[in-house]
Amino acid sequence: MAEANWYVVHTYSGYENKVKANIEKTIENRHLEDQILEVRVPMEDVVEVRNGVKKQVQRKLFPGYVLLNMVMNDDTWYVVRNTRGVTGFVGPGSKPVPLTEEEMQPLGIQPGELEVDFQEGDSVTITGGIWKDTVGIIQSMNHSKQMVTINVELFGRDTPVEIAFTDVKKL
């Protein structure tokens, strides 16, 4: 199987999250999970002062760009290129060029396996995002996406949610 690389697509300004959602929906509908592994809108934490009040906010690292970890072929190129809000891949002409390891370093994307101190069945607490401070048991782990699936209680029933490795901590 061809190897997945990180590519960058240019989007209309303000459409980054919409593009991410649209591509993720297409991946699901067309069962491309093994070809388009991850869609990312890199964010950074910044402190803003508004009306004399300091506030921690998340800001897009690269407004107008979305990062994709994908296997480049005619199908995946077509799917991404024809997503509403995408203006094209970054690269000369229309030929997408994968990011180098040096370019990926400042983005916090490490190639290869990420060493983690938890496994399926472990109780973990979620350290970030909307599920922060929620405790759950790891149901499954996806090393290529660096995500764990945890059941959280939602409306009185267990609901599986995907959380990044970096957002969970072993209890």
Side-chain angles (χ1 to χ4, degrees), residues 81-123:
R81 186 64 192 84
N82 289 290
T83 299
R84 253 185 77 202
V86 171
T87 57
F89 278 94
V90 172
S94 61
K95 186 167 169 21
V97 177
L99 292 173
T100 64
E101 283 189 27
E102 294 74 41
E103 291 170 321
M104 286 163 35
Q105 237 52 72
L107 307 176
I109 301 169
Q110 277 85 26
E113 285 287 302
L114 187 66
E115 287 293 315
V116 291
D117 64 348
F118 45 79
Q119 59 191 17
E120 286 180 25
D122 283 352
S123 288

Side-chain angles (χ1 to χ4, degrees), residues 126 131 134 136-137 139 149-163:
I126 301 171
W131 299 105
T134 303
I137 295 170
Q139 302 301 315
T149 302
I150 297 170
N151 278 342
V152 297
E153 195 176 305
L154 187 66
F155 304 122
R157 62 171 71 122
D158 276 350
T159 305
V161 292
E162 274 198 339
I163 309 286

Side-chain angles (χ1 to χ4, degrees), residues 46-59:
V46 291
V47 176
E48 277 184 358
V49 178
R50 284 220 176 126
N51 303 328
V53 179
K54 272 189 186 177
K55 196 175 168 191
Q56 181 96 8
V57 295
Q58 283 208 317
R59 187 184 303 152

Side-chain angles (χ1 to χ4, degrees), residues 7-24:
Y7 294 90
V8 181
V9 292
H10 192 256
T11 69
Y12 295 129
S13 187
Y15 269 74
E16 303 87 354
N17 292 328
K18 196 178 255 346
V19 164
K20 176 182 186 325
N22 288 343
I23 292 173
E24 285 172 344

